[in-house]
């Protein structure tokens, strides 16, 4: 399907014109991100956990330690919410009330499924490729011990919603505001710094392609804001 159908839980009621249901656009926003925030109720209290993630097809994958109590509880099938947000700009209007942000935000609702064996290994590859493109080809394979220490969860992308703001400051020709006050957008861009070699890496070892590709991904996901 070209769209992700809305449900009573994913329909946006506040400024519904900002909702995006196009699957391609939602997946593009997910693929552009590096960190997701997973929300779950634990011991009667809401908890939010930042995690690395990856997407393949209609599934979102997250991972953590098998020693993590919260990850084991998420794996038991309880409801979770996952959010990935890009801040694209700060919108300066002629009042603080009308000021805003330009953003792309995706919220996924569902229940996580614990993966094993080949599915687990494949999902880990997806996560690594999202964070560090082509890195797997430069390093040794993951060991059985490392794999056993890692918990990998799949969350189907069947119930998701995206909200977008990508425009300048709200203003009207007859709004009566003082035009001597500046209004517009301060774009927020992601920038990758210069790679820093570890202390035990010989100076003769050059920075690999995977680091450059990761930097390119970070800097290639730029704001779509208009000033």
């Amino acid at each position: 399907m070209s769209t992700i159908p809305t449900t009573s839980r994913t329909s946006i009621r506040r400024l519904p014109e900002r909702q995006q249901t196009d699957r391609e656009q939602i997946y593009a926003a997910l693929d552009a991100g590096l960190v997701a925030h997973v929300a779950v109720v634990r011991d009667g209290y809401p908890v939010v956990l930042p995690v690395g993630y990856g997407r393949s097809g209609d599934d979102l994958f997250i991972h953590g330690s098998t020693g993590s109590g919260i990850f084991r509880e998420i794996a038991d099938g309880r409801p979770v919410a996952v959010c990935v947000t890009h801040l694209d700009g700060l919108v300066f209007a002629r009042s603080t009330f009308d000021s805003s942000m330009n953003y792309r935000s995706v919220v996924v609702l569902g229940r996580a499924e614990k993966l094993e064996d080949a599915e687990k290994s494949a999902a880990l590859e997806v996560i690594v490729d999202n964070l560090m493109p082509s890195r797997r080809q430069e390093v040794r394979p993951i060991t059985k011990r490392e794999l056993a220490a890692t918990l990998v969860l799949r969350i189907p992308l069947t119930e998701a919603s995206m909200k977008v703001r990508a425009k300048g400051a709200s203003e009207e020709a007859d709004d009566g505001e003082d035009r001597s006050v500046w209004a517009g957008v301060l774009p927020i861009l992601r920038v990758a710094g210069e790679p820093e070699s570890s202390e035990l890496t010989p100076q003769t070892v050059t920075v690999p392609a995977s680091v450059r590709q990761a930097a390119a991904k970070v800097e290639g996901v730029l704001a779509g804001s208009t000033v």
Side-chain angles (χ1 to χ4, degrees):
M1 298 177 64
S2 60
T3 62
I4 296 181
T6 58
T7 67
S8 60
R9 300 194 300 175
T10 61
S11 295
I12 294 177
R13 293 169 175 79
R14 170 63 179 162
L15 301 174
E17 67 276 8
R18 295 184 183 177
Q19 182 160 17
Q20 174 62 259
T21 61
D22 180 76
R23 190 179 296 270
E24 183 177 348
Q25 294 299 317
I26 293 175
Y27 286 4
L30 290 174
D31 294 346
L34 300 172
V35 177
H37 288 85
V38 181
V40 64
V41 175
R42 189 185 192 205
D43 298 328
Y45 292 91
V47 178
V48 176
L49 183 70
V51 298
Y53 71 94
R55 180 199 65 87
S56 179
D58 297 330
D59 293 312
L60 192 70
F61 302 110
I62 61 176
H63 77 300
S65 170
T66 54
S68 168
I70 188 170
F71 255 87
R72 291 199 302 270
E73 292 176 17
I74 293 173
D76 69 10
R78 66 187 62 192
V80 297
V82 183
C83 182
V84 174
T85 298
H86 302 276
L87 176 60
D88 294 330
L90 295 177
V91 182
F92 290 75
R94 294 186 176 86
S95 71
T96 54
F97 179 83
D98 289 327
S99 296
S100 186
M101 296 179 177
N102 281 344
Y103 58 85
R104 292 159 290 149
S105 183
V106 179
V107 175
V108 179
L109 305 178
R111 298 175 187 270
E113 173 191 4
K114 180 181 177 182
L115 298 182
E116 301 286 2
D117 304 324
E119 285 188 318
K120 177 179 179 179
S121 297
L124 273 177
E125 292 180 356
V126 170
I127 295 171
V128 172
D129 289 346
N130 181 55
L131 299 174
M132 302 176 179
S134 80
R135 185 58 171 169
R136 291 189 294 112
Q137 288 71 44
E138 298 171 347
V139 298
R140 64 166 175 79
I142 189 171
T143 67
K144 291 183 179 180
R145 180 179 179 181
E146 292 167 339
L147 192 61
T150 306
L151 184 62
V152 182
L153 306 177
R154 172 171 57 204
I155 303 171
L157 294 168
T158 54
E159 192 173 8
S161 178
M162 180 176 179
K163 193 172 184 181
V164 179
R165 188 190 194 279
K167 63 180 183 179
S170 299
E171 56 185 355
E172 300 292 340
D174 58 352
D175 58 18
E177 297 287 357
D178 183 357
R179 295 296 185 254
S180 68
V181 177
W182 187 88
V185 176
L186 175 64
I188 304 296
L189 310 180
R190 297 196 309 196
V191 177
E194 280 298 313
E196 301 175 358
S197 299
S198 73
E199 293 183 0
L200 298 182
T201 299
Q203 293 183 355
T204 54
V205 178
T206 59
V207 176
S210 63
V211 177
R212 300 299 183 190
Q213 290 180 31
K217 173 181 176 175
V218 168
E219 297 185 348
V221 185
L222 303 181
S225 305
T226 57
V227 178

